[in-house]
Amino acid sequence: MLKKLLLATTLLAAPLVAVAEGEVNVYSSRQEQLIKPILDQFTAASGIKVNLVTGKDDALIERLKLEGDNTPADLLLTADAGRLFRTKDLGLSQAIESETLKAAIPENLRDPDNQWFGLTYRARPIFYVKEKIKPEELSTYADLADPKWKGKICVRSSDNIYNQSMLASMIASQGAEATTQWADGLVKNLARPPEGGDRDQLKAAAAGICDLALANTYYYGQMLAGDGAEDKAAAEKVAIFWPDQGEQGRGTHINISGASVTKAAKNKDNAVKLLEYLVSDEAQAWYAEHNQEYPVKTSVPASSLLKTWGDFKADSINLSELGKHNAEAVKIMDTVGWK
């Protein structure tokens, strides 16, 4: 708790952005180089100046909470529906009505009460070492709990929102008991105690520590497309397997990067205009090519790299369920000893 408060205090010490007509103030967990170019394009197209503050997802939410009605932020950009649900649950966002957003974003990728909206999505499939595993040996997420994979799986820790949301989706589709059994089996099959981020799981697989890993496609794509020779070499040793693709399968788990208009927004209309711009064909195509995420707008194609991975059936659950079941997911992880 002390660590969180110190982090929030540090954030609050940063210069506050201005509130003025013709501007919009954005808190973004997306790194500046990954978001500013498209914000500059919005400014060029609309004449609305964007004031950008970047930071870690949870720290920005804590900052919004501490600032309350005095926050200068009009729009929060963050990753994972679980965080967007939490922002709504804390009373930090507001409902907005936009036919443009409703038409562009599939219903399952936006809040039923119109308080948050998915802008891009990423999948969390199974990655396998090409020299060790044949894709026909793989099938479903459930199969990862089979003892045949003992000592062969890498995954990051339970305090990571991506894993929490994955478990929450399982709770929503198959119940807590079955999810607990699966999580227990997965933990027993880990090659090492969880450590590091998604990139580290892929690197561990490439280094021979494990044969399988769970990670977001976003990281895999950036490793392949980036300038880092070590990252690229590691990524080239693994391949994607899309689990749960059968007729009875629920599809591969997906999550979003999304946004919500803050409850205390002083430039609400401009915030909505920016949101609507981010689902335009131009913005969606830019995101797809530069950030290696899937566009939420179905008429916009995936990047040339992502196309090479093939089409897949995605879980169609409304992502608000990920937030609803987050606490239960964390409890299950604690119960089975997922560190």
Side-chain angles (χ1 to χ4, degrees), residues 254-312:
I254 63 170
N255 211 318
I256 56 170
S257 286
S260 57
V261 176
T262 65
K263 180 73 172 177
K266 312 301 189 300
N267 301 297
K268 177 180 175 180
D269 290 345
N270 289 344
V272 173
K273 288 177 183 177
L274 176 53
L275 263 181
E276 292 177 342
Y277 179 78
L278 291 175
V279 295
S280 67
D281 287 358
E282 177 186 13
Q284 289 280 291
W286 185 89
Y287 256 116
E289 288 295 335
H290 289 80
N291 291 336
Q292 306 305 332
E293 292 186 285
Y294 290 94
V296 294
K297 199 170 186 177
T298 56
S299 60
V300 177
S303 73
S304 53
L305 173 60
L306 270 59
K307 285 179 183 177
T308 66
W309 303 342
D311 296 329
F312 68 97

Side-chain angles (χ1 to χ4, degrees), residues 26-337:
V26 177
Y27 284 1
S28 172
S29 65
R30 179 76 56 164
Q31 295 177 8
E32 184 170 340
Q33 67 268 25
L34 299 180
I35 186 65
K36 194 173 187 304
I38 199 65
L39 298 181
D40 289 342
Q41 290 179 38
F42 168 72
T43 297
S46 67
I48 298 170
K49 180 183 177 183
V50 180
N51 299 306
L52 179 65
V53 171
T54 60
K56 297 292 186 180
D57 299 87
D58 294 332
L60 289 174
I61 295 172
E62 185 67 17
R63 176 173 179 168
L64 276 178
K65 182 179 174 182
L66 290 172
E67 290 174 341
D69 291 340
N70 295 320
T71 184
D74 303 305
L75 193 69
L76 172 70
L77 292 171
T78 189
D80 199 281
R83 289 192 178 103
L84 289 162
F85 181 93
R86 189 194 316 159
T87 302
K88 173 186 174 183
D89 199 44
L90 289 169
L92 301 175
S93 60
Q94 63 174 294
I96 60 170
E97 289 299 325
S98 168
E99 292 306 316
T100 298
L101 294 174
K102 289 180 181 179
I105 306 170
E107 187 175 1
N108 66 309
L109 303 183
R110 49 185 165 87
D111 176 49
D113 299 322
N114 299 318
Q115 291 208 29
W116 53 259
F117 299 86
L119 301 175
T120 59
Y121 73 91
R122 68 283 296 272
R124 196 165 184 77
I126 300 168
F127 290 87
Y128 65 94
V129 179
K130 290 184 282 188
E131 291 185 355
K132 295 182 178 179
I133 302 293
K134 296 178 181 179
E136 52 265 32
E137 296 179 69
L138 303 168
S139 57
T140 62
Y141 289 112
D143 183 60
L144 297 180
D146 191 297
K148 69 184 178 184
W149 300 116
K150 187 174 179 62
K152 295 185 177 182
I153 301 174
C154 286
V155 67
R156 66 195 293 176
S157 70
S158 62
D159 63 5
N160 172 250
I161 189 71
Y162 303 149
N163 285 333
Q164 293 171 11
S165 289
M166 183 176 67
L167 242 68
S169 73
M170 293 180 178
I171 295 169
S173 65
Q174 62 193 33
E177 183 177 350
T179 301
T180 301
Q181 292 175 357
W182 177 83
D184 183 59
L186 180 76
V187 169
K188 289 176 179 175
N189 288 340
L190 295 184
R192 64 176 185 182
E195 62 177 73
D198 278 16
R199 292 173 187 257
D200 296 304
Q201 312 316 311
L202 300 178
K203 290 178 182 178
I209 295 173
C210 49
D211 296 347
L212 305 174
L214 287 169
N216 284 348
T217 48
Y218 161 80
Y219 296 104
Y220 181 57
Q222 291 215 332
M223 289 172 72
L224 287 172
D227 297 328
E230 184 180 336
D231 277 6
K232 187 172 184 178
E236 287 176 343
K237 290 184 179 181
V238 301
I240 288 178
F241 179 82
W242 304 112
D244 291 84
Q245 296 297 289
E247 187 175 337
Q248 302 301 317
R250 66 188 181 97
T252 300
H253 172 64
I254 63 170
N255 211 318
I256 56 170
S257 286
S260 57
V261 176
T262 65
K263 180 73 172 177
K266 312 301 189 300
N267 301 297
K268 177 180 175 180
D269 290 345
N270 289 344
V272 173
K273 288 177 183 177
L274 176 53
L275 263 181
E276 292 177 342
Y277 179 78
L278 291 175
V279 295
S280 67
D281 287 358
E282 177 186 13
Q284 289 280 291
W286 185 89
Y287 256 116
E289 288 295 335
H290 289 80
N291 291 336
Q292 306 305 332
E293 292 186 285
Y294 290 94
V296 294
K297 199 170 186 177
T298 56
S299 60
V300 177
S303 73
S304 53
L305 173 60
L306 270 59
K307 285 179 183 177
T308 66
W309 303 342
D311 296 329
F312 68 97
K313 180 172 98 173
D315 189 356
S316 61
I317 187 176
N318 188 289
L319 296 189
S320 62
E321 294 293 320
L322 308 187
K324 290 178 184 177
H325 296 287
N326 178 268
E328 194 169 13
V330 172
K331 182 178 179 181
I332 287 173
M333 293 165 124
D334 289 342
T335 298
V336 302

